[in-house]
């Protein structure tokens, strides 16, 4: 699965600190912290005709990540919403859009790691693109287990949604070399953490399981699915999950804004059985689609 260029995005207007500019002219300072140290936080958002899915949750996670990294002069949620609205309007976008929202520590007065060199406030970058969910939910994806471990709070807390995703990128390279769609990353104890860009769930005997968030991003889609389970009397349990449990599950799937809910049909060459878990999975897919009216926030 390799994303392709979509001609509808040829003349996109992007926003850098409120300035609306053609995608080819959008220039960032060479002194910006994201260039110098990957020193930035980000969110992926999805716009449907009803609004942006779980927008408040995404903005709150962005605020928490920026606060954890001690960014100064962080724009408020209302200021970010205003910038999002202007950017979407400039592109006449109302549906079927993915938005990459990045907040950097800002421009430095001189090269250097020290955040005291950042005296201009944060840089807010908004890149909206026409883009359907990237995975084919029906066909599903093939996955391998990566040798790259996902960070935990002992090193770099996975709860910060930052731009230093190099170990996830190394994991993705392993999956490319293996000719599959994504890589499963384990935690420091060898339990499943998450895929390189999505959270993981499994179904066994009609119970839905997902790893704790010690070593994965607490995904907004993950939280949404857990809420839907609670509201619809589907038993969902957070626990350590080993590879043997995944290989023998009744269904395995991943969740994320980029692919929503996607079946994992093969893991490390083992075909994941689907028959027994399929009713629960497709029920969740239907519940997710029905919930969009409620969780999309108009902009
Ligand atoms: N894990 C990682 C590493 C991610 O980058 C993402 C998407 N940003 C996710 C999981 C899924 O998170 P969400 O459901 O909030 O899109």
């Amino acid at each position: 699965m390799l994303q392709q260029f979509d001609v509808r995005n040829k003349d996109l207007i992007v926003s850098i600190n409120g300035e609306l500019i053609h995608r080819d002219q959008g220039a960032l300072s060479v002194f910006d912290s994201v260039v110098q140290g990957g020193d930035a936080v980000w969110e992926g958002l999805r716009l449907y005709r009803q609004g942006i899915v779980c927008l408040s949750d995404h903005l709150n996670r962005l605020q928490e990540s920026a606060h954890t990294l001690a960014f100064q002069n962080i724009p408020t949620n209302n200021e970010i919403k205003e910038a999002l609205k202007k950017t979407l309007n400039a592109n006449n976008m109302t549906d079927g859009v993915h938005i990459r929202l990045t907040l950097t520590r800002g421009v430095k007065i001189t090269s250097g790691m020290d955040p005291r060199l950042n005296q201009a406030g944060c840089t807010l970058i908004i890149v909206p693109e026409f883009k359907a969910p990237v995975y084919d939910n029906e066909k599903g994806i093939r996955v391998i287990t990566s040798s790259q471990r996902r960070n935990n709070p002992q090193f770099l807390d996975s709860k910060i949604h930052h731009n230093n995703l190099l170990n996830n990128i190394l994991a993705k390279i392993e999956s490319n070399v293996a000719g599959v769609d994504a890589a499963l990353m384990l935690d420091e104890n060898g339990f499943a953490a998450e895929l390189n860009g999505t959270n993981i769930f499994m179904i066994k005997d009609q119970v839905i399981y997902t790893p704790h968030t010690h070593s994965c991003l607490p995904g907004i889609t993950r939280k949404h699915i857990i809420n839907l389970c609670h509201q619809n009397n589907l038993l969902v349990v957070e626990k350590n999950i080993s590879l043997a449990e995944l290989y023998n599950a009744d269904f395995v799937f991943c969740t994320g804004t980029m692919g929503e809910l996607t079946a994992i049909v093969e893991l490390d060459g083992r075909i994941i059985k689907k028959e027994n878990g399929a009713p629960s999975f497709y029920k969740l897919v239907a519940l997710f689609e029905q919930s969009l009216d409620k969780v999309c926030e108009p902009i």
Side-chain angles (χ1 to χ4, degrees):
M1 197 288 307
L2 179 60
Q3 293 187 57
Q4 304 295 322
F5 176 71
D6 183 331
V7 286
R8 290 176 302 166
N9 295 322
K10 193 166 72 64
D11 291 315
L12 285 180
I13 302 296
V14 303
S15 167
I16 301 177
N17 270 349
E19 192 190 347
L20 294 169
I21 191 156
H22 187 277
R23 62 177 285 166
D24 296 340
Q25 265 117 45
L28 211 57
S29 166
V30 291
F31 284 96
D32 196 281
S33 297
V34 74
V35 180
Q36 300 238 334
D39 192 357
V41 297
W42 68 283
E43 289 296 321
L45 310 173
R46 182 161 291 286
L47 172 76
Y48 286 115
R49 63 178 167 72
Q50 302 96 317
I52 295 180
V53 184
C54 301
L55 178 60
S56 302
D57 284 340
H58 281 283
L59 293 182
N60 292 342
R61 186 170 65 184
L62 187 83
Q63 293 286 348
E64 288 184 4
S65 295
H67 177 67
T68 304
L69 294 177
F71 284 11
Q72 299 293 312
N73 300 323
I74 302 168
T76 63
N77 284 358
N78 279 343
E79 286 165 343
I80 299 174
K81 277 187 199 165
E82 202 46 43
L84 279 168
K85 192 173 172 173
K86 284 191 179 143
T87 317
L88 292 171
N89 286 345
N91 289 286
N92 288 321
M93 287 170 158
T94 52
D95 197 3
V97 172
H98 181 271
I99 305 161
R100 179 88 178 200
L101 183 68
T102 307
L103 185 73
T104 86
R105 194 184 295 278
V107 176
K108 290 182 174 291
I109 53 166
T110 182
S111 291
M113 191 183 283
D114 190 339
R116 289 174 302 180
L117 302 175
N118 291 74
Q119 295 168 12
C122 297
T123 309
L124 179 69
I125 306 161
I126 301 173
V127 180
E129 291 178 273
F130 291 108
K131 191 183 283 198
V134 297
Y135 292 142
D136 179 336
N137 297 22
E138 287 297 314
K139 197 163 147 246
I141 57 169
R142 296 166 61 228
V143 174
I144 50 125
T145 302
S146 164
S147 63
Q148 291 290 323
R149 298 294 162 117
R150 184 66 164 103
N151 314 70
N152 67 13
Q154 219 174 354
F155 300 100
L156 179 58
D157 197 333
S158 66
K159 293 189 173 63
I160 312 170
H161 200 198
H162 55 75
N163 281 52
N164 273 277
L165 284 172
L166 286 178
N167 42 0
N168 294 50
I169 292 170
L170 285 170
K172 175 64 184 148
I173 290 169
E174 286 183 33
S175 79
N176 291 348
V177 171
V180 300
D181 303 294
L184 170 67
M185 302 177 77
L186 305 179
D187 69 14
E188 80 281 16
N189 294 314
F191 293 109
E194 62 178 335
L195 303 195
N196 59 279
T198 51
N199 291 111
I200 189 163
F201 285 77
M202 64 168 245
I203 303 173
K204 183 78 177 181
D205 297 332
Q206 282 154 49
V207 181
I208 297 156
Y209 298 94
T210 193
H212 303 284
T213 57
H214 309 322
S215 303
C216 69
L217 182 76
I220 309 289
T221 322
R222 173 188 182 279
K223 181 174 143 192
H224 185 178
I225 294 300
I226 291 175
N227 287 343
L228 286 175
C229 289
H230 290 152
Q231 289 155 12
N232 292 279
N233 294 325
L234 297 168
L235 189 53
V236 59
V237 178
E238 291 176 76
K239 76 173 202 85
N240 287 333
I241 299 175
S242 72
L243 282 175
E245 289 174 293
L246 287 170
Y247 296 150
N248 294 293
D250 293 335
F251 208 99
V252 182
F253 63 99
C254 62
T255 63
T257 305
M258 73 168 197
E260 299 184 335
L261 282 79
T262 308
I264 296 174
V265 294
E266 186 188 308
L267 175 59
D268 298 329
R270 278 75 159 182
I271 302 299
I272 310 291
K273 288 174 293 191
K274 291 208 294 187
E275 299 71 32
N276 292 341
S280 302
F281 175 72
Y282 288 108
K283 180 161 187 192
L284 277 176
V285 172
L287 288 170
F288 179 83
E289 277 163 16
Q290 287 157 21
S291 72
L292 286 178
D293 279 340
K294 257 200 204 146
V295 298
C296 285
E297 299 176 31
I299 182 100

